[in-house]
Amino acid sequence: MKEAPEPLPGPTITPSPQVSIVVIAFNDAGHVGDAVRSALAQDAFGDTVTEVIAVNDASTDGTGAALDDLARTEPRLRVIHRSENSGGCGTPRNAGLRAATGRFVMFLDSDDVLPPGAVRALLSAALRHDAPVVSGACVRRELPARRDVPWQPGLYREAAVHESAEASPQLVRDTLCVNKLYDREFLAKHAIVFPEGRFTYEDFVFTARVLAAAPRIATVPDSVYVWHVRRSAARQSISLNRKDVANWEARIAAHRASVEIFREAGLPVLAQAAATKFLDHDLRMYVRELHTRGADYRAEWWRLTREYLGGFDEAALRAARAPSRWLARVVLASPAPRDLDRITQLASRPGRLLPPYAEAGGRAVWSPDLPEVELDALGTKPIGRLPVTIDAEPSVGSRSVLRLRVHDMYGRLAVAGPESIDVELRRRRDDRRGPVHTAALTRAGVPGGAAAVCWTAEVVLDLEALTERAGRAAADPEPWDLMAWVSCADGAGFRAALRATGPGLRRRVLPSRRHAVLLVQPYATTGGALSLRVASGLRSVWRIAARRLRR
C-alpha cells in the first residue's frame, strides 16, 4: 500500500461524462427530488455524470410522479418503475446497475445527497490510479440539527492506493456501498451484484464480494456522501429501525455471509478482520441500547449473540479492542442477560467500566462469579485509554452544581495521582465549544470499599453562558454534551465522558437575567452519559406546555 498526505502523483486526467448514478427510492416523495438533484448537480462542468437512473421500487405515495416530473425537464434522468416492491434495497440497485451505460457506477439512497464535487473527486482518482474501486469520506448528518459525524474517519485521513484489501484489511470496516465509485466492467467480470429480495444489510454482502475480488482500491479524503439520519421520522431507515430483534438477526446473517465470502475466496485475513469489526462496531452499537429493550427482546438477542460469537476464534477476539472483547466474553460466559447497566456503560464511546472491580488469582475479572472473563490489558493500557468511570450528579437550581466522583481502577489512577478536572460543554448541533469549568480533586475512600479510593470535586455550572454562546434565545431545547479532562500529578491525563447519576435528572425552570427564564434538563443519553438540554425565554415555556397539553 502506498500512502501520501498530498494527492498521489500521476498524470493529469481530464474526466469525461462516464459515471452512471443509481438512485433507489420507495415511498420517499419528500426527499427523492433532493437526492436526484444532488446527483445531477455533480455535472456542473459537464465532465462527469452521463446519466442518473432512478429506480422507483413500486412506491404507493407520490415518489413515482415526482421522478417523472423531474425527468421531463432533465434528459439525463431515466426513471425505472418496478411493478412489485422488492422489500429491500438490493433488487432496485441491481435493476439500476443492469440499466447503467456509463463506464463507472455509483449508488445513492433517496433520503441522502451527494455533496458538490463528490463524483469528480472519485472519478479523478479512478482514472489517475487505474483503480476499479474508489472510496471517499462519508458523514452521518443528524437532522434536523445538521450535526455531522464522520463515518470510519481513520480510513480517509489522507489519499492512498491499496493494491488489494488483503494488504489493507482495515478496509473491511467500511461496509457502505454508497460512498464508492465502481468500474462496471470489473463488477460484471466478477459477477458482483447485490442480494435480491428482502435481504437486510445487503451492502455488507456486496462490499465483501467487491473486496474478495481483490481490486486495486484508491481512497480519497474528500467528502463524497452525506448520509442523512432522521431519528424522528415516521418510517425509520434500516440502520435505525433496531427495535425488533429481527433486525439484529438480519445483521448477523449478513455478517456471516460476508465472512463466508472471504473464507471461500481463501482470504482468512479478511475473514478475521470482518469478525473483529463485528465486535468493535456492531456488537457495541447494539449492546449500548440493550437496556432500553424489553425482557423478551433481551433474552432472544442474548441467545442469538451467544450462538454467533461461539463460532469466533480466539484470534478474532484478541484483535478486537479491549472493551469489545470483554463484552463478547461476558455474553459467552453467561446463559442469560446480566449486568445491563455495566455492559451498556462499557459499550459506550468512550467506554466506562463501572465498579465493583473484582479480582481472581491476582487477575482483574468481570465479577467474582465470572472469573473466566478476564479484563486483560488493564495493567498495560496507557492511562489515557483506560475505561475510567466519572460519576456526575447534577443539581440545577439557583446555584447549579455538578458533584463529581472519579473512580480508581485496580490502582492505576492512584499511581498517576489525579489532581484536577476540567468539565467542558459542547453544543451537539455544531460541536461548538461552550464554557469550561475547573475544580481540584480531593482523594477520598469508597464507602465499604476497604482499600478502594476515589477522587471528588464540585463545579459550579454557568448555565447562562450557554445561551450567550448560542447568540439568541433558543426556544427549542439545545443539547449540550459534557466531557471531562483529568490532569494527574505525574503529568499524565485522560479524557472521559461523565456518567449521569442521582435524582437531579429532571427539567427545571430558572430565572434568567437575559431571557427572563431558562429551561434546563440534565438527562442520561442512551449510553448513560450526562447531557443537558437548555432552552431560554418565555416562548420556550409556552411551547413545552402546549406539547404537554397536546399529549
Side-chain angles (χ1 to χ4, degrees):
M1 181 186 77
K2 299 176 182 178
E3 294 190 356
E6 299 297 331
L8 294 170
T12 300
I13 302 293
T14 303
S16 58
Q18 50 191 318
V19 177
S20 299
I21 301 177
V22 175
V23 184
I24 62 168
F26 172 67
N27 284 357
D28 203 10
H31 304 122
V32 68
D34 291 338
V36 169
R37 281 187 285 269
S38 77
L40 293 168
Q42 296 295 310
D43 210 28
F45 301 101
D47 59 6
T48 56
V49 179
T50 186
E51 63 185 355
V52 175
I53 302 169
V55 183
N56 170 29
D57 197 15
S59 298
T60 56
D61 66 350
T63 297
L67 290 171
D68 288 338
D69 286 344
L70 283 169
R72 291 188 187 97
T73 58
E74 178 47 69
R76 288 177 300 150
L77 175 60
R78 288 196 287 147
V79 182
I80 298 174
H81 295 285
R82 286 181 41 79
S83 59
E84 184 177 345
N85 179 255
S86 67
C89 297
T91 296
R93 285 201 183 115
N94 286 337
L97 181 58
R98 287 192 298 270
T101 62
R103 176 182 170 186
F104 298 93
V105 65
M106 283 186 70
F107 301 101
L108 172 61
D109 290 347
S110 61
D111 53 350
D112 300 330
V113 294
L114 300 178
V119 174
R120 187 175 180 85
L122 293 169
L123 180 58
S124 296
L127 298 175
R128 175 181 296 176
H129 306 297
D130 191 25
V133 179
V134 184
S135 182
C138 166
V139 297
R140 287 168 53 92
R141 178 165 294 165
E142 297 271 355
L143 295 177
R146 295 184 64 82
R147 176 174 178 254
D148 288 349
V149 179
W151 167 257
Q152 298 294 341
L155 299 178
Y156 300 106
R157 290 199 173 96
E158 59 185 23
V161 174
H162 309 264
E163 290 304 323
S164 71
E166 190 175 24
S168 304
Q170 69 273 16
L171 292 174
V172 305
R173 290 181 172 268
D174 186 358
T175 52
L176 299 183
C177 69
V178 289
N179 59 331
K180 300 173 178 69
L181 182 79
Y182 307 94
D183 187 311
R184 280 201 313 116
E185 184 177 339
F186 161 78
L187 296 179
K189 177 182 177 181
H190 296 280
I192 297 172
V193 294
F194 293 89
E196 291 278 347
R198 195 176 295 276
F199 191 102
T200 309
Y201 300 110
E202 75 295 330
D203 45 355
F204 284 27
V205 174
F206 182 85
T207 300
R209 289 170 176 168
V210 168
L211 297 181
R216 176 186 291 123
I217 301 172
T219 54
V220 298
D222 307 71
S223 178
V224 303
Y225 199 85
V226 179
W227 175 1
H228 285 151
V229 180
R230 297 178 173 90
R231 299 186 188 276
S232 59
R235 184 171 66 90
Q236 291 288 312
S237 66
I238 289 173
S239 61
L240 293 180
N241 189 16
R242 299 193 290 266
K243 292 182 179 179
D244 192 322
V245 74
N247 181 280
W248 178 237
E249 190 171 17
R251 197 175 190 104
I252 288 176
H255 185 265
R256 180 184 281 117
S258 302
V259 171
E260 191 59 31
I261 288 168
F262 293 136
R263 286 176 177 159
E264 290 179 354
L267 299 168
V269 171
L270 294 188
Q272 180 179 306
T276 301
K277 173 263 176 188
F278 181 85
L279 298 171
D280 282 336
H281 178 73
D282 305 65
L283 180 67
R284 286 183 74 167
M285 178 169 59
Y286 281 75
V287 168
R288 275 199 301 274
E289 302 170 346
L290 198 57
H291 68 297
T292 68
R293 311 303 187 203
D296 290 344
Y297 176 105
R298 293 197 296 266
E300 180 63 6
W301 184 94
W302 203 271
R303 184 192 70 78
L304 291 167
T305 307
R306 288 189 84 222
E307 180 183 275
Y308 189 46
L309 294 182
F312 281 43
D313 58 28
E314 182 63 20
L317 285 171
R318 286 203 165 272
R321 297 183 178 97
S324 306
R325 63 177 179 264
W326 299 343
L327 290 169
R329 286 172 175 153
V330 170
V331 174
L332 286 168
S334 177
R338 58 171 289 161
D339 303 335
L340 292 181
D341 192 28
R342 289 191 85 200
I343 65 173
T344 295
Q345 298 279 341
L346 186 58
S348 299
R349 296 189 186 276
R352 296 177 291 277
L353 179 62
L354 302 188
Y357 301 127
E359 293 186 78
R363 300 173 300 118
V365 298
W366 180 257
S367 64
D369 63 326
L370 287 183
E372 66 270 37
V373 181
E374 182 180 357
L375 305 181
D376 55 320
L378 270 180
T380 57
K381 273 181 174 292
I383 193 170
R385 294 180 57 195
L386 289 174
V388 175
T389 295
I390 304 178
D391 289 341
E393 181 178 343
S395 177
V396 175
S398 56
R399 181 176 179 270
S400 297
V401 300
L402 201 57
R403 298 182 181 90
L404 305 168
R405 181 186 296 268
V406 181
H407 291 271
D408 194 9
M409 186 178 295
Y410 297 99
R412 288 295 310 276
L413 269 63
V415 172
E419 288 188 323
S420 65
I421 186 168
D422 296 331
V423 176
E424 176 186 292
L425 288 89
R426 284 189 177 268
R427 190 166 60 190
R428 187 178 300 169
R429 169 165 54 90
D430 53 8
D431 205 35
R432 182 175 179 179
R433 189 179 185 186
V436 177
H437 304 84
T438 302
L441 288 166
T442 301
R443 181 170 172 142
V446 176
V453 298
C454 67
W455 292 263
T456 61
E458 182 175 290
V459 299
V460 179
L461 296 175
D462 184 3
L463 300 175
E464 191 83 34
L466 300 182
T467 62
E468 292 170 359
R469 289 172 185 269
R472 56 181 173 78
D476 289 319
E478 285 262 28
W480 291 79
D481 295 320
L482 289 82
M483 291 292 294
W485 174 265
V486 175
S487 299
C488 301
D490 68 353
F494 59 88
R495 185 174 173 82
L498 303 178
R499 177 194 178 209
T501 62
L505 304 177
R506 55 194 178 91
R507 183 185 293 124
R508 295 292 304 272
V509 180
L510 306 177
S512 167
R513 298 186 306 272
R514 184 175 181 185
H515 302 295
V517 294
L518 289 180
L519 268 71
V520 182
Q521 182 181 19
Y523 69 99
T525 66
T526 300
L530 178 65
S531 290
L532 298 175
R533 292 189 185 96
V534 180
S536 55
L538 292 172
R539 186 181 174 193
S540 62
V541 176
W542 299 125
R543 279 194 176 190
I544 291 171
R547 287 172 189 158
R548 285 189 173 182
L549 288 173
R550 283 196 295 269
R551 295 196 195 108

